[in-house]
């Protein structure tokens, strides 16, 4: 309920921003046009933003027969998270990264890059998938994808105003200066909205994703690897559509690594520290294992030992033991 309310407020704010941009570019007529454009964007964004995002990021659907390990991993983790199994997409990019999209859990998709499968270990990939499932469970994906659609549309509206010289200057309180200001300020305002949406939700998705996978340190390790390697590989699709950068688990764009006002993501180091603290509270080691209680001594008084139990990934032991870290 709270997420639905938050999404409604965000859409209302974006619509108002659209109208302000339209007013300063084209006066009253521009505001009306922008309002109608915002309504159309709302409708399109709700029903089609996920498909548009996947297409623009060059993501292609994959069946279980093509990548059975990945598909089974998503299926197991989704069931553990209490979600329907989302569609699985593969992004043809050497940059390791991933994102989730969809208007609700019943129409969701998880997309991972080929670089993610190439550079990360199985535990780390599972932790990244769990993070994206957390976004789906929190119903973040609708807000994030619609925000991406709006941000791109606001930038397009501002460029449209610049192209036509600011519209009707007689109905514009600041004339051509106002139009020029909005051309440059509107994309920045849209970016600030994106950052406000993304930064707070990434920490929450990290926490819930780590609980789903039961392996916080695997997610911490994955974030470190992705952040390091993302700077070496260019994500062409993301660079062409920077308004969608906040969808990814790590900022796919070059630069902007700092946790400041102009970063689409929280600082990776801060996220890793939070995950380490969570691992300590969960008593999980860097292999995804938890300490087992030491059995009581036998009647002979001999200590039969205890210590760490190595989990079996993806199945339950015959003796009824604990499942693996993400199974």
């Amino acid at each position: 309920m709270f997420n639905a309310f938050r999404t409604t407020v965000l859409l209302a704010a974006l619509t108002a921003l659209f109208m302000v941009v339209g007013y300063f570019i084209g006066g009253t007529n521009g505001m009306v046009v922008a309002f109608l454009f915002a309504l159309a964007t709302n409708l399109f964004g709700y029903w089609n933003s996920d498909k548009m995002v996947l297409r623009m990021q060059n993501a292609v659907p994959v069946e279980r027969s093509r990548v059975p390990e990945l598909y089974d991993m998503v299926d197991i983790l989704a069931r553990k998270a209490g979600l329907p199994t989302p569609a699985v997409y593969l992004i043809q990019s050497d940059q390791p990264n991933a994102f989730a999209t969809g208007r609700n859990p019943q129409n969701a998709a998880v997309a991972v890059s080929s670089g993610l499968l190439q550079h990360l270990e199985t535990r780390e990939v599972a932790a990244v998938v769990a993070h994206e499932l957390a976004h789906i469970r929190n119903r973040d994906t609708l807000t994030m994808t619609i925000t991406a659609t709006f941000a791109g549309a606001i930038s397009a509206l501002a460029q449209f105003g610049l192209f036509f010289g600011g519209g009707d200057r007689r109905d514009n309180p600041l004339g051509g200066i106002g139009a020029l200001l909005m051309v440059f300020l509107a994309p920045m305002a849209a970016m600030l909205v994106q950052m406000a949406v993304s930064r707070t939700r990434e920490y929450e998705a990290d926490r819930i994703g780590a609980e789903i996978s039961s392996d916080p340190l695997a997610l911490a390790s994955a974030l470190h690897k992705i952040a390091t390697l993302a700077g070496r590989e260019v994500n062409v699709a993301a660079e062409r559509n920077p308004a969608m950068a906040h969808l990814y688990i790590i900022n796919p764009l070059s630069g902007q690594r700092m946790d400041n006002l102009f970063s689409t993501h929280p600082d990776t180091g801060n996220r890793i520290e939070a995950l380490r603290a969570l691992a300590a509270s969960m008593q999980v080691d860097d292999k995804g294992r938890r300490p087992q209680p030491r059995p009581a001594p036998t009647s002979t008084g001999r200590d039969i030992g205890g210590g760490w139990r190595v989990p079996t990934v993806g199945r339950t032991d015959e003796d009824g033991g604990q499942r693996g870290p993400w199974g």
Side-chain angles (χ1 to χ4, degrees), residues 32-294:
V32 173
V33 171
F35 176 69
L36 296 175
F37 193 13
L39 289 180
T41 302
N42 271 323
L43 292 173
F44 175 84
Y46 181 80
W47 293 105
N48 298 293
S49 59
D50 55 339
K51 301 179 184 67
M52 182 190 72
V53 166
L54 290 165
R55 184 171 60 253
M56 295 180 74
Q57 300 306 301
N58 297 327
V60 295
V62 294
E63 302 296 334
R64 185 182 184 279
S65 58
R66 182 179 174 189
V67 192
E69 298 84 0
L70 175 63
Y71 195 93
D72 290 345
M73 177 189 294
V74 174
D75 180 59
I76 291 170
L77 289 168
R79 285 190 278 113
K80 189 174 181 182
L83 294 169
T85 303
V88 181
Y89 282 74
L90 187 65
I91 308 165
Q92 295 297 334
S93 172
D94 292 333
Q95 182 190 85
N97 228 317
F99 68 85
T101 186
R103 64 181 181 271
N104 54 40
Q106 290 71 37
N107 296 275
V110 171
V112 302
S113 71
S114 54
L116 188 85
L117 302 180
Q118 178 182 355
H119 294 292
L120 269 62
E121 298 177 5
T122 301
R123 284 179 52 235
E124 295 167 337
V125 174
V128 170
V129 169
H131 170 98
E132 300 305 333
L133 291 173
H135 278 308
I136 295 173
R137 196 169 79 177
N138 289 347
R139 296 181 181 267
D140 293 339
T141 51
L142 173 62
T143 304
M144 294 169 70
T145 50
I146 289 181
T147 302
T149 304
F150 256 99
I154 290 172
S155 298
L157 183 63
Q159 293 171 3
F160 181 81
L162 180 63
F163 180 77
F164 285 98
D168 186 1
R169 297 186 183 183
R170 292 175 299 176
D171 199 20
N172 185 331
L174 297 180
I177 296 176
L180 287 175
L181 282 175
M182 292 312 299
V183 164
F184 292 105
L185 293 178
M188 184 177 294
M191 185 189 304
L192 291 175
V193 173
Q194 286 181 242
M195 289 183 279
V197 171
S198 178
R199 286 157 63 97
T200 56
R201 297 191 181 196
E202 288 305 319
Y203 284 115
E204 184 69 5
D206 284 345
R207 181 185 66 81
I208 295 177
E211 292 173 354
I212 293 173
S213 66
S214 303
D215 203 355
L217 294 181
L219 180 55
S221 176
L223 291 177
H224 175 72
K225 287 185 179 180
I226 296 172
T228 301
L229 295 171
R232 303 174 186 172
E233 299 288 347
V234 176
N235 187 325
V236 177
E239 295 288 348
R240 288 175 179 170
N241 304 282
M244 299 179 185
H246 68 291
L247 296 173
Y248 284 87
I249 189 171
I250 290 289
N251 186 2
L253 306 178
S254 57
Q256 297 190 12
R257 298 280 192 262
M258 299 175 63
D259 191 9
N260 56 35
L261 183 63
F262 295 98
S263 175
T264 59
H265 291 71
D267 178 67
T268 303
N270 292 347
R271 296 170 68 182
I272 290 173
E273 287 303 316
L275 287 166
R276 287 174 177 168
L278 179 62
S281 67
M282 293 172 61
Q283 294 185 304
V284 179
D285 73 351
D286 59 357
K287 300 297 183 184
R289 301 174 299 193
R290 300 190 185 201
Q292 301 298 308
R294 187 178 295 275

